Amino acid sequence: MTDRAGDSVPSMPQHVAVIMDGNGRWARARGLERIEGHWAGYKTLKRIVYAADDLGIRYLTVYGFSSENWRRPQNEVSGLMRLMYAAMRAELEDLIENGIRVRVIGRLHQLPDELSDIFYEAMRSTEAYTRMTFTLAINYGGRAEIVDAVRAIARDIADGRISADDVDEASVAARLYAPEMPDPDLLIRTAGEMRLSNYLLWQSAYSEIWVTPTYWPDFTPELLLQAVQDYGKRTRRFGAVVE
Ligand code: IPE
Ligand code: IPE
Ligand code: MG
């Protein structure tokens, strides 16, 4: 396989998911407020979206705000809501110009109206694009997503559309927030923590995990390439025996 520059890239991951962690620690190390770390993280994200597209990654999904992040101090939460709104306002035009499809997954109805409105606008105005799909997980929780899928199944059973015996993995997968998206091949977490923090629990069943101690604001396209190259050396078994 080759990237857009024609260089050889061994077995490219089709879908890369990222837990962008360490903004707070990055800020603290510099004597800054946590929110300043989040703004620095936004700048990094901007570079990484285009770097992923240049590499030929088809799906990039990033964790922007978890359903548990409401537990943070109120000023950090409201600062993050303002940042997400300003960032989407500022970036939408460039994303459109570059033909990048934007999706947002999570319980968007619980976000401030202004924020969910701009997310819907971004999704609407880029839905025809096929270059790269850039998905933001906002007010997202893997358990909440599965609960929402189970509720949808329960409604379908109650209304007689399907029977309980017909429920299988495909029935659950079909009711996730972005059902047509392939599962992540590679899951990157920055800032060193070795946990999923409720991210894409269903979809990451067989994802290859790559962790770097680098805080998210210091993450670079070079590190993304390193993760992708390391992924190329992994052997995926999916439970089977591979010689
Ligand atoms: C990740 O950075 C961004 C969000 C969760 C919004 P953190 O804010 O979790 O940074 P640390 O983990 O406290 O360093
Ligand atoms: C996960 O990071 C959420 C995001 C990156 C948006 P957290 O910083 O919230 O995760 P924990 O609390 O360390 O598990
Ligand atoms: Mg964190």
mmCIF file of all heavy atoms in Angstrom, residues 205-240:
data_model
loop_
_atom_site.group_PDB
_atom_site.id
_atom_site.type_symbol
_atom_site.label_atom_id
_atom_site.label_comp_id
_atom_site.label_asym_id
_atom_site.label_seq_id
_atom_site.Cartn_x
_atom_site.Cartn_y
_atom_site.Cartn_z
ATOM 1 N N ALA A 205 -13.257 -4.217 20.224
ATOM 2 C CA ALA A 205 -13.065 -5.597 20.696
ATOM 3 C C ALA A 205 -11.745 -6.184 20.201
ATOM 4 O O ALA A 205 -11.061 -6.894 20.945
ATOM 5 C CB ALA A 205 -14.242 -6.462 20.249
ATOM 6 N N TYR A 206 -11.377 -5.900 18.954
ATOM 7 C CA TYR A 206 -10.137 -6.446 18.396
ATOM 8 C C TYR A 206 -9.192 -5.372 17.863
ATOM 9 O O TYR A 206 -8.340 -5.662 17.026
ATOM 10 C CB TYR A 206 -10.445 -7.498 17.327
ATOM 11 C CG TYR A 206 -10.656 -8.855 17.953
ATOM 12 C CD1 TYR A 206 -11.923 -9.367 18.151
ATOM 13 C CD2 TYR A 206 -9.555 -9.587 18.408
ATOM 14 C CE1 TYR A 206 -12.108 -10.597 18.782
ATOM 15 C CE2 TYR A 206 -9.732 -10.813 19.037
ATOM 16 C CZ TYR A 206 -11.004 -11.310 19.218
ATOM 17 O OH TYR A 206 -11.172 -12.517 19.838
ATOM 18 N N SER A 207 -9.322 -4.148 18.382
ATOM 19 C CA SER A 207 -8.418 -3.077 17.931
ATOM 20 C C SER A 207 -7.022 -3.293 18.501
ATOM 21 O O SER A 207 -6.863 -3.759 19.631
ATOM 22 C CB SER A 207 -8.937 -1.716 18.398
ATOM 23 O OG SER A 207 -10.238 -1.507 17.912
ATOM 24 N N GLU A 208 -6.024 -2.925 17.721
ATOM 25 C CA GLU A 208 -4.643 -2.926 18.201
ATOM 26 C C GLU A 208 -4.430 -1.633 18.984
ATOM 27 O O GLU A 208 -4.724 -0.544 18.485
ATOM 28 C CB GLU A 208 -3.664 -2.990 17.023
ATOM 29 C CG GLU A 208 -3.732 -4.285 16.247
ATOM 30 C CD GLU A 208 -3.266 -5.487 17.074
ATOM 31 O OE1 GLU A 208 -2.396 -5.314 17.951
ATOM 32 O OE2 GLU A 208 -3.786 -6.594 16.839
ATOM 33 N N ILE A 209 -3.891 -1.761 20.206
ATOM 34 C CA ILE A 209 -3.748 -0.583 21.072
ATOM 35 C C ILE A 209 -2.298 -0.095 21.057
ATOM 36 O O ILE A 209 -1.365 -0.905 21.116
ATOM 37 C CB ILE A 209 -4.230 -0.918 22.494
ATOM 38 C CG1 ILE A 209 -5.725 -1.316 22.445
ATOM 39 C CG2 ILE A 209 -4.020 0.267 23.441
ATOM 40 C CD1 ILE A 209 -6.307 -1.763 23.772
ATOM 41 N N TRP A 210 -2.122 1.204 20.934
ATOM 42 C CA TRP A 210 -0.786 1.826 20.887
ATOM 43 C C TRP A 210 -0.812 3.018 21.850
ATOM 44 O O TRP A 210 -1.635 3.911 21.691
ATOM 45 C CB TRP A 210 -0.491 2.283 19.462
ATOM 46 C CG TRP A 210 0.919 2.693 19.179
ATOM 47 C CD1 TRP A 210 1.943 1.891 18.744
ATOM 48 C CD2 TRP A 210 1.476 4.021 19.247
ATOM 49 N NE1 TRP A 210 3.087 2.634 18.548
ATOM 50 C CE2 TRP A 210 2.833 3.944 18.849
ATOM 51 C CE3 TRP A 210 0.962 5.268 19.614
ATOM 52 C CZ2 TRP A 210 3.685 5.050 18.793
ATOM 53 C CZ3 TRP A 210 1.804 6.375 19.565
ATOM 54 C CH2 TRP A 210 3.148 6.256 19.161
ATOM 55 N N VAL A 211 0.064 2.978 22.852
ATOM 56 C CA VAL A 211 0.071 4.032 23.872
ATOM 57 C C VAL A 211 1.403 4.768 23.825
ATOM 58 O O VAL A 211 2.464 4.142 23.730
ATOM 59 C CB VAL A 211 -0.146 3.430 25.285
ATOM 60 C CG1 VAL A 211 -0.083 4.515 26.363
ATOM 61 C CG2 VAL A 211 -1.478 2.698 25.367
ATOM 62 N N THR A 212 1.349 6.092 23.888
ATOM 63 C CA THR A 212 2.570 6.895 23.968
ATOM 64 C C THR A 212 2.522 7.748 25.241
ATOM 65 O O THR A 212 1.442 8.203 25.632
ATOM 66 C CB THR A 212 2.723 7.824 22.734
ATOM 67 O OG1 THR A 212 3.856 8.676 22.945
ATOM 68 C CG2 THR A 212 1.498 8.701 22.503
ATOM 69 N N PRO A 213 3.681 7.948 25.903
ATOM 70 C CA PRO A 213 3.667 8.835 27.078
ATOM 71 C C PRO A 213 3.460 10.308 26.716
ATOM 72 O O PRO A 213 3.141 11.123 27.574
ATOM 73 C CB PRO A 213 5.067 8.625 27.688
ATOM 74 C CG PRO A 213 5.913 8.023 26.620
ATOM 75 C CD PRO A 213 4.994 7.311 25.680
ATOM 76 N N THR A 214 3.628 10.652 25.454
ATOM 77 C CA THR A 214 3.504 12.060 25.023
ATOM 78 C C THR A 214 2.114 12.605 25.331
ATOM 79 O O THR A 214 1.107 11.959 25.035
ATOM 80 C CB THR A 214 3.771 12.147 23.498
ATOM 81 O OG1 THR A 214 5.059 11.601 23.242
ATOM 82 C CG2 THR A 214 3.696 13.579 22.999
ATOM 83 N N TYR A 215 2.071 13.813 25.913
ATOM 84 C CA TYR A 215 0.779 14.466 26.156
ATOM 85 C C TYR A 215 0.179 14.889 24.816
ATOM 86 O O TYR A 215 0.915 15.270 23.900
ATOM 87 C CB TYR A 215 0.964 15.714 27.040
ATOM 88 C CG TYR A 215 1.471 15.428 28.440
ATOM 89 C CD1 TYR A 215 2.288 16.350 29.100
ATOM 90 C CD2 TYR A 215 1.117 14.260 29.105
ATOM 91 C CE1 TYR A 215 2.751 16.114 30.387
ATOM 92 C CE2 TYR A 215 1.574 14.019 30.394
ATOM 93 C CZ TYR A 215 2.390 14.939 31.029
ATOM 94 O OH TYR A 215 2.846 14.696 32.293
ATOM 95 N N TRP A 216 -1.140 14.888 24.730
ATOM 96 C CA TRP A 216 -1.795 15.178 23.459
ATOM 97 C C TRP A 216 -1.306 16.478 22.788
ATOM 98 O O TRP A 216 -1.019 16.475 21.590
ATOM 99 C CB TRP A 216 -3.325 15.147 23.587
ATOM 100 C CG TRP A 216 -3.971 15.559 22.308
ATOM 101 C CD1 TRP A 216 -4.644 16.715 22.047
ATOM 102 C CD2 TRP A 216 -3.964 14.816 21.069
ATOM 103 N NE1 TRP A 216 -5.059 16.751 20.736
ATOM 104 C CE2 TRP A 216 -4.649 15.599 20.122
ATOM 105 C CE3 TRP A 216 -3.437 13.574 20.678
ATOM 106 C CZ2 TRP A 216 -4.826 15.183 18.792
ATOM 107 C CZ3 TRP A 216 -3.605 13.159 19.354
ATOM 108 C CH2 TRP A 216 -4.294 13.953 18.438
ATOM 109 N N PRO A 217 -1.144 17.601 23.506
ATOM 110 C CA PRO A 217 -0.714 18.826 22.795
ATOM 111 C C PRO A 217 0.653 18.667 22.122
ATOM 112 O O PRO A 217 0.955 19.390 21.177
ATOM 113 C CB PRO A 217 -0.672 19.897 23.897
ATOM 114 C CG PRO A 217 -1.642 19.403 24.921
ATOM 115 C CD PRO A 217 -1.480 17.904 24.911
ATOM 116 N N ASP A 218 1.472 17.724 22.581
ATOM 117 C CA ASP A 218 2.794 17.501 21.976
ATOM 118 C C ASP A 218 2.777 16.379 20.933
ATOM 119 O O ASP A 218 3.822 16.034 20.392
ATOM 120 C CB ASP A 218 3.826 17.144 23.069
ATOM 121 C CG ASP A 218 4.135 18.326 23.969
ATOM 122 O OD1 ASP A 218 4.058 19.473 23.483
ATOM 123 O OD2 ASP A 218 4.448 18.096 25.160
ATOM 124 N N PHE A 219 1.633 15.796 20.684
ATOM 125 C CA PHE A 219 1.542 14.711 19.693
ATOM 126 C C PHE A 219 1.799 15.305 18.302
ATOM 127 O O PHE A 219 1.447 16.452 18.026
ATOM 128 C CB PHE A 219 0.154 14.071 19.749
ATOM 129 C CG PHE A 219 0.049 12.769 18.999
ATOM 130 C CD1 PHE A 219 0.592 11.610 19.527
ATOM 131 C CD2 PHE A 219 -0.597 12.705 17.771
ATOM 132 C CE1 PHE A 219 0.498 10.402 18.841
ATOM 133 C CE2 PHE A 219 -0.695 11.504 17.073
ATOM 134 C CZ PHE A 219 -0.145 10.352 17.611
ATOM 135 N N THR A 220 2.456 14.520 17.437
ATOM 136 C CA THR A 220 2.859 15.047 16.122
ATOM 137 C C THR A 220 2.466 14.084 15.001
ATOM 138 O O THR A 220 2.250 12.888 15.246
ATOM 139 C CB THR A 220 4.403 15.178 16.061
ATOM 140 O OG1 THR A 220 4.962 13.876 16.353
ATOM 141 C CG2 THR A 220 4.931 16.211 17.034
ATOM 142 N N PRO A 221 2.450 14.576 13.770
ATOM 143 C CA PRO A 221 2.251 13.686 12.620
ATOM 144 C C PRO A 221 3.303 12.574 12.579
ATOM 145 O O PRO A 221 3.005 11.450 12.160
ATOM 146 C CB PRO A 221 2.389 14.624 11.417
ATOM 147 C CG PRO A 221 1.961 15.956 11.935
ATOM 148 C CD PRO A 221 2.454 16.004 13.355
ATOM 149 N N GLU A 222 4.523 12.851 13.053
ATOM 150 C CA GLU A 222 5.569 11.818 13.075
ATOM 151 C C GLU A 222 5.178 10.682 14.021
ATOM 152 O O GLU A 222 5.401 9.511 13.731
ATOM 153 C CB GLU A 222 6.924 12.410 13.523
ATOM 154 C CG GLU A 222 7.565 13.372 12.528
ATOM 155 C CD GLU A 222 6.828 14.713 12.408
ATOM 156 O OE1 GLU A 222 6.242 15.182 13.422
ATOM 157 O OE2 GLU A 222 6.818 15.290 11.307
ATOM 158 N N LEU A 223 4.603 11.032 15.170
ATOM 159 C CA LEU A 223 4.158 9.986 16.106
ATOM 160 C C LEU A 223 2.992 9.196 15.520
ATOM 161 O O LEU A 223 2.889 7.982 15.727
ATOM 162 C CB LEU A 223 3.779 10.599 17.458
ATOM 163 C CG LEU A 223 4.952 10.937 18.390
ATOM 164 C CD1 LEU A 223 4.458 11.746 19.585
ATOM 165 C CD2 LEU A 223 5.665 9.669 18.875
ATOM 166 N N LEU A 224 2.128 9.886 14.793
ATOM 167 C CA LEU A 224 1.019 9.179 14.136
ATOM 168 C C LEU A 224 1.580 8.157 13.147
ATOM 169 O O LEU A 224 1.148 7.000 13.107
ATOM 170 C CB LEU A 224 0.097 10.174 13.420
ATOM 171 C CG LEU A 224 -1.030 9.556 12.594
ATOM 172 C CD1 LEU A 224 -2.033 8.834 13.499
ATOM 173 C CD2 LEU A 224 -1.750 10.614 11.765
ATOM 174 N N LEU A 225 2.572 8.587 12.378
ATOM 175 C CA LEU A 225 3.194 7.682 11.411
ATOM 176 C C LEU A 225 3.852 6.500 12.123
ATOM 177 O O LEU A 225 3.737 5.353 11.683
ATOM 178 C CB LEU A 225 4.229 8.447 10.576
ATOM 179 C CG LEU A 225 4.943 7.633 9.497
ATOM 180 C CD1 LEU A 225 3.948 7.103 8.460
ATOM 181 C CD2 LEU A 225 6.023 8.462 8.809
ATOM 182 N N GLN A 226 4.497 6.788 13.266
ATOM 183 C CA GLN A 226 5.132 5.707 14.033
ATOM 184 C C GLN A 226 4.089 4.683 14.496
ATOM 185 O O GLN A 226 4.299 3.475 14.410
ATOM 186 C CB GLN A 226 5.856 6.317 15.234
ATOM 187 C CG GLN A 226 6.836 5.361 15.896
ATOM 188 C CD GLN A 226 7.470 6.015 17.123
ATOM 189 O OE1 GLN A 226 7.866 7.179 17.094
ATOM 190 N NE2 GLN A 226 7.544 5.263 18.201
ATOM 191 N N ALA A 227 2.964 5.187 14.972
ATOM 192 C CA ALA A 227 1.891 4.282 15.422
ATOM 193 C C ALA A 227 1.410 3.427 14.263
ATOM 194 O O ALA A 227 1.194 2.217 14.404
ATOM 195 C CB ALA A 227 0.732 5.098 16.009
ATOM 196 N N VAL A 228 1.247 4.059 13.108
ATOM 197 C CA VAL A 228 0.770 3.350 11.925
ATOM 198 C C VAL A 228 1.797 2.305 11.483
ATOM 199 O O VAL A 228 1.445 1.174 11.120
ATOM 200 C CB VAL A 228 0.461 4.368 10.796
ATOM 201 C CG1 VAL A 228 0.342 3.688 9.446
ATOM 202 C CG2 VAL A 228 -0.814 5.138 11.112
ATOM 203 N N GLN A 229 3.062 2.666 11.549
ATOM 204 C CA GLN A 229 4.103 1.701 11.162
ATOM 205 C C GLN A 229 4.181 0.542 12.146
ATOM 206 O O GLN A 229 4.329 -0.612 11.753
ATOM 207 C CB GLN A 229 5.455 2.414 11.043
ATOM 208 C CG GLN A 229 5.530 3.236 9.766
ATOM 209 C CD GLN A 229 6.748 4.128 9.687
ATOM 210 O OE1 GLN A 229 7.359 4.451 10.719
ATOM 211 N NE2 GLN A 229 7.099 4.551 8.485
ATOM 212 N N ASP A 230 4.051 0.837 13.444
ATOM 213 C CA ASP A 230 4.041 -0.239 14.443
ATOM 214 C C ASP A 230 2.842 -1.155 14.221
ATOM 215 O O ASP A 230 2.943 -2.378 14.337
ATOM 216 C CB ASP A 230 4.003 0.325 15.867
ATOM 217 C CG ASP A 230 5.350 0.912 16.278
ATOM 218 O OD1 ASP A 230 6.328 0.746 15.522
ATOM 219 O OD2 ASP A 230 5.419 1.546 17.352
ATOM 220 N N TYR A 231 1.724 -0.537 13.896
ATOM 221 C CA TYR A 231 0.516 -1.326 13.594
ATOM 222 C C TYR A 231 0.801 -2.313 12.458
ATOM 223 O O TYR A 231 0.390 -3.476 12.498
ATOM 224 C CB TYR A 231 -0.634 -0.395 13.205
ATOM 225 C CG TYR A 231 -1.812 -1.112 12.601
ATOM 226 C CD1 TYR A 231 -2.799 -1.673 13.401
ATOM 227 C CD2 TYR A 231 -1.923 -1.255 11.213
ATOM 228 C CE1 TYR A 231 -3.859 -2.356 12.843
ATOM 229 C CE2 TYR A 231 -2.975 -1.937 10.647
ATOM 230 C CZ TYR A 231 -3.944 -2.487 11.467
ATOM 231 O OH TYR A 231 -4.986 -3.170 10.909
ATOM 232 N N GLY A 232 1.553 -1.852 11.456
ATOM 233 C CA GLY A 232 1.888 -2.694 10.301
ATOM 234 C C GLY A 232 2.685 -3.932 10.671
ATOM 235 O O GLY A 232 2.715 -4.904 9.925
ATOM 236 N N LYS A 233 3.331 -3.893 11.857
ATOM 237 C CA LYS A 233 4.145 -5.046 12.290
ATOM 238 C C LYS A 233 3.352 -5.996 13.189
ATOM 239 O O LYS A 233 3.847 -7.053 13.569
ATOM 240 C CB LYS A 233 5.370 -4.554 13.064
ATOM 241 C CG LYS A 233 6.316 -3.713 12.216
ATOM 242 C CD LYS A 233 7.497 -3.238 13.068
ATOM 243 C CE LYS A 233 8.180 -2.034 12.445
ATOM 244 N NZ LYS A 233 8.569 -1.027 13.441
ATOM 245 N N ARG A 234 2.164 -5.594 13.574
ATOM 246 C CA ARG A 234 1.383 -6.447 14.481
ATOM 247 C C ARG A 234 0.754 -7.608 13.711
ATOM 248 O O ARG A 234 0.461 -7.495 12.529
ATOM 249 C CB ARG A 234 0.250 -5.635 15.139
ATOM 250 C CG ARG A 234 0.700 -4.386 15.887
ATOM 251 C CD ARG A 234 0.961 -4.666 17.338
ATOM 252 N NE ARG A 234 1.308 -3.434 18.066
ATOM 253 C CZ ARG A 234 0.444 -2.734 18.805
ATOM 254 N NH1 ARG A 234 -0.811 -3.124 18.924
ATOM 255 N NH2 ARG A 234 0.855 -1.654 19.459
ATOM 256 N N THR A 235 0.514 -8.693 14.430
ATOM 257 C CA THR A 235 -0.222 -9.821 13.850
ATOM 258 C C THR A 235 -1.601 -9.849 14.477
ATOM 259 O O THR A 235 -1.731 -9.998 15.695
ATOM 260 C CB THR A 235 0.494 -11.151 14.146
ATOM 261 O OG1 THR A 235 1.820 -11.052 13.656
ATOM 262 C CG2 THR A 235 -0.220 -12.316 13.473
ATOM 263 N N ARG A 236 -2.604 -9.657 13.667
ATOM 264 C CA ARG A 236 -3.976 -9.680 14.189
ATOM 265 C C ARG A 236 -4.530 -11.092 14.032
ATOM 266 O O ARG A 236 -4.425 -11.697 12.978
ATOM 267 C CB ARG A 236 -4.842 -8.663 13.443
ATOM 268 C CG ARG A 236 -4.239 -7.273 13.525
ATOM 269 C CD ARG A 236 -5.153 -6.237 12.925
ATOM 270 N NE ARG A 236 -6.288 -5.945 13.785
ATOM 271 C CZ ARG A 236 -7.290 -5.131 13.422
ATOM 272 N NH1 ARG A 236 -7.307 -4.606 12.228
ATOM 273 N NH2 ARG A 236 -8.276 -4.882 14.266
ATOM 274 N N ARG A 237 -5.098 -11.609 15.101
ATOM 275 C CA ARG A 237 -5.564 -12.999 15.061
ATOM 276 C C ARG A 237 -7.075 -13.147 15.142
ATOM 277 O O ARG A 237 -7.633 -14.131 14.725
ATOM 278 C CB ARG A 237 -4.895 -13.797 16.189
ATOM 279 C CG ARG A 237 -3.468 -14.205 15.845
ATOM 280 C CD ARG A 237 -2.938 -15.221 16.824
ATOM 281 N NE ARG A 237 -2.519 -14.594 18.070
ATOM 282 C CZ ARG A 237 -1.331 -14.035 18.264
ATOM 283 N NH1 ARG A 237 -0.430 -14.042 17.318
ATOM 284 N NH2 ARG A 237 -1.021 -13.479 19.426
ATOM 285 N N PHE A 238 -7.747 -12.198 15.745
ATOM 286 C CA PHE A 238 -9.205 -12.271 15.894
ATOM 287 C C PHE A 238 -9.648 -13.616 16.482
ATOM 288 O O PHE A 238 -10.690 -14.160 16.121
ATOM 289 C CB PHE A 238 -9.913 -12.027 14.547
ATOM 290 C CG PHE A 238 -9.612 -10.671 13.948
ATOM 291 C CD1 PHE A 238 -8.630 -10.518 12.978
ATOM 292 C CD2 PHE A 238 -10.287 -9.533 14.396
ATOM 293 C CE1 PHE A 238 -8.341 -9.282 12.435
ATOM 294 C CE2 PHE A 238 -10.006 -8.284 13.863
ATOM 295 C CZ PHE A 238 -9.026 -8.158 12.883
ATOM 296 N N GLY A 239 -8.814 -14.149 17.367
ATOM 297 C CA GLY A 239 -9.182 -15.387 18.054
ATOM 298 C C GLY A 239 -8.785 -16.656 17.331
ATOM 299 O O GLY A 239 -8.881 -17.747 17.887
ATOM 300 N N ALA A 240 -8.315 -16.509 16.105
ATOM 301 C CA ALA A 240 -7.950 -17.706 15.334
ATOM 302 C C ALA A 240 -6.456 -17.989 15.477
ATOM 303 O O ALA A 240 -5.739 -17.233 16.125
ATOM 304 C CB ALA A 240 -8.305 -17.490 13.862
#
